Amino acid sequence: MCASWSACFAQPKPVHVDKYSFINYRADTLYVAKNQPLLPYFISKLDTLITLSSGNINIVHIGGSHVQAGTFPHTVRQEFLNAYPGFSAGRGLIFPYAAAPKCNNPTDYRTRSIGKFGLVRNVHQEHIKPLGISGIAVYTLDSISEVKIIHRDSLTKFNTTKITLLGYATGDSATIPLLLIDSATFQPTQIIPEKRQFIYENICVTDSFAFYLANKATASFTITGILLENANPGIIYHSIGVNGASTDAFLRCVHFEEEIALLSPDMVIFGLGINDANDPDFIPSTFKENYLALVAQFKKVNPNCFFIFITNNDSYRKVGKKYHVNKNALKVRKVMYELAEATGGAVFDQFEIMGGLHSMDKWRLAKLAQNDRVHFTKAGYEVMGKLLFNAIVREVRGLDDEVIR
């Protein structure tokens, strides 16, 4: 391990963020647990990557609609890759959200589909299809269907040499998805039925690909995720988001824990809580227990995994025709600090950065938040993404920023 944290992270610097009078920039830092913090393990592995060009850093950002929208996690992803040019590994885990009707897709890639697809989300108590790490699935019973992914980020190109399709067939015959790249067709090089994996290797993808599905009359095929990798050392930023998801939603996914191993997480950024807190009967102790259960699943894969807990943003609940500030955000914030201490992790205090209770109105008037008083606009998510990146950089570089609690 490096003698000093700042030596490990000497090159990257905080990026520019537009200034607004109502944002508490002094709070843009990580509160790191005093009790057995695990951040040095992450920094040591990052230092090995940068100095020896060895290994991968896997960051997993998991949440609800703030993550599914894509702008927030992709902003952090871009800043990491801008900070470390030449260390762009695979795009990581994605999901074809827009294959299903009225399901929004992340901003850095498009999904196009042929055929009719149904949608299963972990927000429901009962799942008609088993769910895994993505917390969501699309499925089709059509005899012929296709799902296409189109990369649309002009700033970052991801070379993909290996694709793992997470999915499974049901019915009388086992559907084998064909991978289409331009005019070429690829059979899976490996099929692992018990892990619901179709693996395609020795390929070359930079912008788009598709999966062609041919089901027999009584068969269906379900897709639960797509993992894009290559053999390069570098940073992989996975994002997992499901609209409306709460902490217990991911605990209901029967294959979630098993599939964590696919991502080899070194850092997990948790952004769950806004939907938990929307419940008028929100119980902080249950919320904390759910989070600890999720943490335990990740720790089984990597005991030294470092966790960052993002507090809720200030938000409002609509009751009738009126909006009321959601004071449960204060309870969530308190639990987040407790979780950081319990796990050796950290807190990114989004609530304090925004300005506390009622700050959402100022963000909304500045066109950084939407009129629903829960979600940010694209510009707002970009601001928050840059602030999160800066908070991580400041901490691992050992900069002496005051922590606002």
Side-chain angles (χ1 to χ4, degrees):
M1 188 176 299
C2 292
S4 69
W5 289 9
S6 59
C8 293
F9 216 84
Q11 294 182 356
K13 296 179 181 179
V15 298
H16 170 77
V17 184
D18 291 341
K19 296 298 181 183
Y20 295 89
S21 60
F22 49 85
I23 295 181
N24 183 359
Y25 295 95
R26 291 171 60 243
D28 182 24
T29 186
L30 293 183
Y31 166 78
V32 180
K34 307 284 190 299
N35 179 30
Q36 297 180 338
L38 294 173
L39 184 56
Y41 291 97
F42 176 82
I43 296 172
S44 178
K45 188 170 181 181
L46 179 60
D47 185 52
T48 298
L49 168 65
I50 303 307
T51 58
L52 302 179
S53 296
S54 175
N56 292 115
I57 292 292
N58 281 277
I59 302 173
V60 180
H61 190 158
I62 182 170
S65 53
H66 291 319
V67 177
Q68 180 172 332
T71 302
F72 186 7
H74 191 56
T75 298
V76 187
R77 178 185 295 114
Q78 284 182 317
E79 296 302 343
F80 265 107
L81 298 180
N82 289 339
Y84 294 104
F87 285 96
S88 174
R91 171 57 177 78
L93 184 69
I94 65 171
F95 184 81
Y97 296 93
K102 299 180 181 180
C103 192
N104 63 301
N105 214 75
T107 53
D108 65 302
Y109 63 93
R110 289 190 179 98
T111 300
R112 296 287 182 265
S113 61
I114 298 173
K116 183 179 179 181
F117 285 85
L119 182 68
V120 183
R121 296 187 298 149
N122 60 6
V123 298
H124 302 294
Q125 292 289 335
E126 301 293 332
H127 305 152
I128 61 173
K129 300 285 185 178
L131 297 177
I133 188 70
S134 298
I136 190 169
V138 291
Y139 65 95
T140 182
L141 289 78
D142 286 359
S143 58
I144 299 295
S145 60
E146 185 176 299
V147 171
K148 186 173 185 178
I149 302 296
I150 306 166
H151 184 80
R152 59 176 301 196
D153 182 359
S154 60
L155 298 178
T156 308
K157 289 290 186 183
F158 294 97
N159 292 319
T160 301
T161 59
K162 177 183 177 182
I163 296 178
T164 301
L165 176 66
L166 299 176
Y168 48 89
T170 55
D172 291 342
S173 64
T175 304
I176 305 298
L178 299 179
L179 175 65
L180 309 179
I181 303 174
D182 298 326
S183 58
T185 302
F186 299 86
Q187 293 273 357
T189 53
Q190 188 178 5
I191 300 175
I192 311 177
E194 67 275 14
K195 293 187 176 181
R196 303 159 303 283
Q197 296 177 18
F198 297 83
I199 300 172
Y200 306 79
E201 298 176 286
N202 304 316
I203 59 174
C204 182
V205 180
T206 57
D207 51 10
S208 64
F209 62 91
F211 286 108
Y212 174 84
L213 304 169
N215 289 323
K216 291 190 176 180
T218 58
S220 69
F221 195 86
T222 302
I223 297 174
T224 60
I226 303 171
L227 182 60
L228 308 179
E229 301 175 277
N230 61 40
N232 300 333
I235 298 171
I236 306 173
Y237 197 104
H238 310 273
S239 55
I240 301 169
V242 181
N243 292 343
S246 54
T247 50
D248 60 338
F250 285 97
L251 292 173
R252 288 195 290 268
C253 300
V254 295
H255 300 306
F256 185 86
E257 180 178 333
E258 175 190 352
E259 292 179 354
I260 290 174
L262 281 169
L263 308 186
S264 302
D266 300 295
M267 173 188 286
V268 175
I269 301 173
F270 278 122
L272 293 164
I274 194 75
N275 296 303
D276 297 76
N278 198 47
D279 185 348
D281 299 320
F282 173 70
I283 302 174
S285 59
T286 301
F287 177 64
K288 184 176 180 178
E289 289 171 5
N290 288 344
Y291 249 122
L292 289 174
L294 287 171
V295 166
Q297 292 184 9
F298 280 97
K299 280 187 169 292
K300 286 182 180 179
V301 175
N302 179 9
N304 294 322
C305 185
F306 181 64
F307 300 96
I308 297 177
F309 300 92
I310 302 177
T311 65
N312 284 6
N313 53 287
D314 182 47
S315 65
Y316 285 69
R317 280 200 303 257
K318 190 174 184 180
V319 181
K321 294 184 178 180
K322 293 185 177 181
Y323 288 93
H324 301 270
V325 68
N326 191 344
K327 294 185 179 180
N328 282 339
L330 296 168
K331 298 177 182 178
V332 167
R333 182 172 180 263
K334 182 176 182 294
V335 170
M336 293 298 198
Y337 280 97
E338 293 172 357
L339 287 166
E341 292 294 344
T343 64
V347 173
F348 176 69
D349 203 332
Q350 181 176 229
F351 181 78
E352 192 71 19
I353 289 171
M354 285 189 69
L357 287 176
H358 304 285
S359 60
M360 174 57 78
D361 287 330
K362 296 177 181 178
W363 283 66
R364 186 172 58 86
L365 291 173
K367 300 188 184 306
L368 295 179
Q370 298 181 32
N371 288 332
D372 65 4
R373 294 168 172 82
V374 174
H375 299 93
F376 297 102
T377 61
K378 182 177 184 293
Y381 282 122
E382 288 174 346
V383 167
M384 198 58 73
K386 290 179 180 180
L387 290 171
L388 174 56
F389 172 78
N390 286 348
I392 296 172
V393 167
R394 288 191 180 101
E395 187 58 43
V396 297
R397 291 181 72 224
L399 298 182
D400 187 17
D401 283 354
E402 181 181 359
V403 175
I404 310 299
R405 296 187 65 184

